Amino acid sequence: MHKRTTRLLCGVLIFVLAIGLLVSYPNMQVSAQNGSTSYVTIQKTHVYQSKHTKSKSLKRIGLHEVVSVISVQSSWANVKVGKVKGYVPVKHLKKTSTFESVWTAKTVKLKSGRKQSSKTISTLSKNKKLIVLQKIGSWTKVTDGSKKGYVPATSLKSSLVEYSQSFQSYEQIVKNLNRFKHPEYPDQPMFVQSKYYEQTLFRYKSSKSKNPPISLAVQEELGGIYYDLIYHGSEIYAFNDPMIEQNYRDALKNISNSIYKKGSPEAGQFYAFCIEQLEMVLDHASKHRTDGRGGDELDRGTKNIGKETYDYQNIMFTVRIYLDTRQ
């Protein structure tokens, strides 16, 4: 009898604990979602008392107002604007993280309007991160936390990184590489452009190539630029064709003159480094292509060109030179 009673009590206890967990679990889920996230209004709207546009308006909010979103419930966002809490249609909002980020290139005043005579809202220090809301002529509308205003476009930069003066922007390198004509097919571009997720790819292939032996990936995001150049010296060695080799070297030169301004010292240095690594591959291939040492790592490290520091690897007849300044 005693054992039966004990088993019964244990069963009741387990049942009570299970019920307690079921009751508390939804609350745990709600509390996990209750952190706030910054959003910006993309049109004029209202903070409503309930999830319906016919409910009472607690506050009218204008375009580009920063709001704190507590949670998203279907097509409505539970928000806090100042001391007011209520609901805003999700379609009227956009996450601040989806807007372009910029940094101040110098100390600058955040203005209430697009004139130097406009009221100063605050003074922004150099390298201050801001969110771009709108570009209007020579002025840029930005947010600094909950503050929004205007600063001259010339006082902003797209990255914290200081680049060389002849270093090209993402738009410029894409434009440059599309200008070159293929030496063997004059009616075709030297570099075939394609997309791989967020990266723009450029590939060079000679008439004897099965696969492109030179490729360059370019991407701009998070306030920085990414370059990844990969080329295979084994092709030159295998073909032993002076014309193919010259075209290959010209392709590397065109890439150098696209990353940096054509004729600049940095463009010359970048090309010289590419050729230095290529010569290392060719020399190694001639000595060890058939003796099992073809996969040796020949060189690895960093290379400073202007203000840029490139990482590089030279392994398995392949050279990789890359730069990543994304934040």
Side-chain angles (χ1 to χ4, degrees):
M1 183 66 123
H2 177 69
K3 288 182 179 179
R4 251 169 110 189
T5 305
T6 302
R7 282 198 296 267
L8 181 60
L9 287 172
C10 287
V12 171
L13 180 60
I14 291 169
F15 179 77
V16 170
L17 286 172
I19 293 296
L21 285 172
L22 287 171
V23 170
S24 63
Y25 183 65
N27 293 332
M28 290 166 64
Q29 285 188 308
V30 170
S31 63
Q33 296 174 354
N34 277 346
S36 62
T37 306
S38 290
Y39 280 68
V40 173
T41 56
I42 55 175
Q43 67 176 70
K44 294 178 181 178
T45 187
H46 295 264
V47 179
Y48 295 98
Q49 189 173 37
S50 61
K51 293 180 282 184
H52 200 288
T53 53
K54 291 185 178 180
S55 67
K56 181 182 178 182
S57 172
L58 303 177
K59 184 180 179 71
R60 180 181 171 83
I61 45 180
L63 174 66
H64 296 152
E65 292 286 345
V66 178
V67 303
S68 294
V69 172
I70 300 167
S71 65
V72 176
Q73 303 164 16
S74 186
S75 60
W76 288 85
N78 182 210
V79 305
K80 183 178 180 182
V81 185
K83 294 182 179 180
V84 176
K85 285 185 179 181
Y87 296 90
V88 172
V90 169
K91 64 182 180 181
H92 296 173
L93 304 173
K94 191 174 181 182
K95 275 187 179 180
T96 53
S97 59
T98 61
F99 285 82
E100 178 188 354
S101 296
V102 291
W103 288 261
T104 51
K106 57 185 178 181
T107 300
V108 64
K109 296 185 184 302
L110 182 66
K111 296 287 186 176
S112 61
R114 290 179 286 138
K115 291 182 180 179
Q116 288 294 352
S117 58
S118 299
K119 180 184 175 182
T120 297
I121 298 170
S122 64
T123 300
L124 306 172
S125 59
K126 184 179 178 181
N127 292 331
K128 178 74 173 178
K129 185 177 180 179
L130 305 169
I131 303 297
V132 175
L133 297 174
Q134 196 175 6
K135 295 178 181 179
I136 312 170
S138 60
W139 289 83
T140 302
K141 188 177 183 181
V142 299
T143 63
D144 173 26
S146 60
K147 300 174 184 176
K148 64 176 181 178
Y150 299 85
V151 292
T154 53
S155 66
L156 301 173
K157 56 185 180 180
S158 61
S159 172
L160 281 174
V161 179
E162 296 289 339
Y163 296 111
S164 299
Q165 191 171 0
S166 62
F167 191 80
Q168 301 285 56
S169 66
Y170 167 82
E171 290 80 8
Q172 192 61 54
I173 190 173
V174 170
K175 182 179 178 181
N176 287 344
L177 286 171
N178 279 318
R179 287 190 297 114
F180 299 111
K181 296 297 181 182
H182 199 289
E184 299 171 66
Y185 313 105
D187 60 332
Q188 297 179 22
M190 172 173 263
F191 302 99
V192 176
Q193 182 181 338
S194 62
K195 271 285 190 183
Y196 180 73
Y197 292 99
E198 298 302 317
Q199 295 178 5
T200 302
L201 298 182
F202 291 92
R203 294 187 173 98
Y204 166 77
K205 185 170 76 169
S206 70
S207 59
K208 294 186 177 182
S209 301
K210 289 185 178 179
N211 298 302
I214 301 177
S215 65
L216 174 68
V218 189
Q219 185 177 353
E220 183 178 48
E221 67 168 0
L222 302 174
I225 290 180
Y226 171 76
Y227 291 102
D228 194 353
L229 171 63
I230 298 175
Y231 54 100
H232 311 282
S234 56
E235 177 172 287
I236 294 179
Y237 180 82
F239 291 149
N240 193 26
D241 185 324
M243 184 193 75
I244 296 294
E245 180 173 348
Q246 185 57 53
N247 293 342
Y248 190 103
R249 291 171 183 261
D250 286 346
L252 290 175
K253 180 173 282 187
N254 289 340
I255 288 173
S256 303
N257 285 330
S258 297
I259 293 176
Y260 293 97
K261 290 180 182 177
K262 183 178 180 180
S264 67
E266 291 89 351
Q269 292 167 25
F270 189 91
Y271 176 64
F273 182 64
C274 287
I275 297 303
E276 175 190 310
Q277 293 293 307
L278 177 62
E279 296 287 2
M280 198 180 298
V281 168
L282 296 177
D283 181 61
H284 184 71
S286 65
K287 294 176 181 177
H288 304 290
R289 187 170 180 83
T290 59
D291 66 3
R293 290 190 55 197
D296 286 357
E297 180 174 279
L298 306 182
D299 201 9
R300 176 195 292 262
T302 58
K303 175 69 175 179
N304 293 322
I305 298 174
K307 292 183 179 180
E308 292 68 58
T309 300
Y310 293 86
D311 291 285
Y312 68 90
Q313 293 173 300
N314 187 327
I315 187 171
M316 294 181 68
F317 306 118
T318 299
V319 179
R320 182 186 181 203
I321 303 172
Y322 55 102
L323 173 72
D324 193 349
T325 67
R326 295 172 296 181
Q327 307 302 316

